[in-house]
Amino acid sequence: YLFKMKHFGLRAIVVHFILLSCGAFDNVKEETMSVNANLTRPIWKQFEPENLMGYFSSSEMLQMYHLATTDKLYEKGGLNHALSFRLTALAFKSVDNPSSQVVLSYQPSNMTISLIPVISENGLNVTWLHMGGKVVYTEEIDSDYWYSESYMASTTGSLFSSCVVQSNLFQISNPRYQPFSVYNKESIQEIYPASSSEEFVWQLIKLVNSRGVKITPAILPKKIEIMIYSNNYPSIVNIESEGSSRLDVVSYYRALGLCLQTRKYSYITSLMDFAKYFDCLDDVAYIGLG
């Protein structure tokens, strides 16, 4: 399925704060994304809820941390090169046994993504070969990997188990890693949220906050969204159905590919860069939903 946004309006990259107590946000300057060439990723494990539900005892006191880094994923749709992107996670560490740690994150499967689909030889179909998103975990907070570690709150093993349940629900509801949030241009209201590590982490934080845990970071971490503005409410297009809609999608991506070639694919070095290139075609835009 695809979101189709007609009369595609203002495009922007917006970085803002989320303050859970009042829901306010302030615009801040966009950060420059840089990747450490010697970055060694943690050993991420496949998320299985039953393996984590009893990891901490229900009454065990935990410290909760917001983690952030800049990593790379490989675009295998049309760009065929690595893109930098911001990756976030939520970590839990036992107070009594600090070596007992769990880090939860939602990431593109195998660190690959298809922003541009492959057009079939007969020109009648488009296929995204790398669409998956999944929750993963590791059992160590690697300070060499995470450039930001922000203490958020004290919580318990019981609430950690609730986060595990919520993580599973998020994974089921978001099988595709889709990094762009769609907003209405006039009202600045969110129409469709991204399926990204940022959304995953802040859903967990909101869950903990809703259970009465006081979020008390010294400096509130930023929630960074890649926001795309639409002049109207997007419609959903099923590209597996026969008819003109599917051919419109094929024509759109063919035109987008040609436009991006004139601007040189090599200039697109991050997910944020790619969002800026949506203005290749001013009248419409499609975003894959999986």
Side-chain angles (χ1 to χ4, degrees):
Y1 290 88
L2 294 169
F3 250 144
K4 179 182 180 181
M5 295 172 286
K6 295 182 179 179
H7 308 296
F8 191 64
L10 175 68
R11 276 74 50 184
I13 305 299
V14 177
V15 183
H16 61 252
F17 285 104
I18 297 293
L19 185 59
L20 292 177
S21 59
C22 65
F25 65 86
D26 301 304
N27 290 336
V28 298
K29 186 177 180 181
E30 181 181 329
E31 290 186 285
T32 300
M33 300 181 73
S34 59
V35 181
N36 182 349
N38 298 318
L39 190 70
T40 300
R41 290 184 179 132
I43 300 174
W44 294 107
K45 299 180 180 180
Q46 183 176 346
F47 174 79
E48 298 289 349
E50 57 271 20
N51 293 340
L52 291 176
M53 289 298 291
Y55 196 91
F56 301 107
S57 66
S58 60
S59 60
E60 190 170 356
M61 294 303 300
L62 309 176
Q63 294 176 329
M64 187 175 75
Y65 293 84
H66 178 284
L67 308 179
T69 193
T70 300
D71 206 332
K72 285 196 172 186
L73 72 164
Y74 198 85
E75 203 289 328
K76 290 191 174 182
L79 305 180
N80 292 310
H81 63 241
L83 301 174
S84 63
F85 79 116
R86 175 177 158 94
L87 180 69
T88 56
L90 200 63
F92 298 84
K93 180 166 67 174
S94 171
V95 173
D96 293 333
N97 183 16
S99 63
S100 183
Q101 306 171 2
V102 174
V103 179
L104 297 171
S105 183
Y106 174 77
Q107 304 175 3
S109 298
N110 301 318
M111 285 297 185
T112 60
I113 195 169
S114 291
L115 297 174
I116 302 173
V118 175
I119 299 175
S120 62
E121 291 184 4
N122 62 11
L124 298 178
N125 296 286
V126 291
T127 304
W128 282 266
L129 300 177
H130 301 274
M131 302 170 60
K134 62 181 181 180
V135 176
V136 294
Y137 76 98
T138 186
E139 297 177 79
E140 179 185 5
I141 302 173
D142 185 349
S143 297
D144 291 331
Y145 179 77
W146 303 103
Y147 69 69
S148 171
E149 299 177 20
S150 302
Y151 170 79
M152 297 295 287
S154 293
T155 184
T156 64
S158 177
L159 274 175
F160 169 77
S161 295
S162 296
C163 287
V164 171
V165 172
Q166 182 62 33
S167 297
N168 190 48
L169 293 175
F170 187 93
Q171 180 171 252
I172 293 171
S173 301
N174 299 273
R176 172 186 168 87
Y177 196 93
Q178 197 288 103
F180 308 114
S181 296
V182 180
Y183 278 72
N184 180 274
K185 180 181 176 181
E186 299 299 327
S187 66
I188 318 298
Q189 295 296 310
E190 187 175 58
I191 298 172
Y192 192 84
S195 300
S196 64
S197 65
E198 293 277 3
E199 291 297 329
F200 169 73
V201 166
W202 285 92
Q203 277 200 20
L204 296 186
I205 292 174
K206 289 176 182 177
L207 171 67
V208 173
N209 191 60
S210 71
R211 300 292 177 85
V213 175
K214 188 176 181 180
I215 306 296
T216 56
I219 300 176
L220 194 69
K222 284 173 285 188
K223 178 185 180 185
I224 298 180
E225 292 185 273
I226 306 177
M227 299 169 67
I228 301 172
Y229 291 102
S230 176
N231 284 342
N232 68 336
Y233 196 89
S235 58
I236 294 180
V237 177
N238 184 353
I239 60 173
E240 294 183 351
S241 62
E242 300 289 340
S244 60
S245 294
R246 186 173 66 182
L247 296 180
D248 288 344
V249 173
V250 174
S251 297
Y252 167 80
Y253 279 108
R254 193 184 301 279
L256 180 63
L258 292 173
C259 185
L260 290 176
Q261 286 179 27
T262 66
R263 301 187 180 194
K264 296 188 178 180
Y265 284 148
S266 59
Y267 292 163
I268 305 174
T269 60
S270 72
L271 289 180
M272 288 187 176
D273 283 345
F274 185 86
K276 297 172 185 177
Y277 281 73
F278 273 116
D279 66 357
C280 270
L281 305 172
D282 289 331
D283 59 339
V284 67
Y286 290 89
I287 295 179
L289 302 181

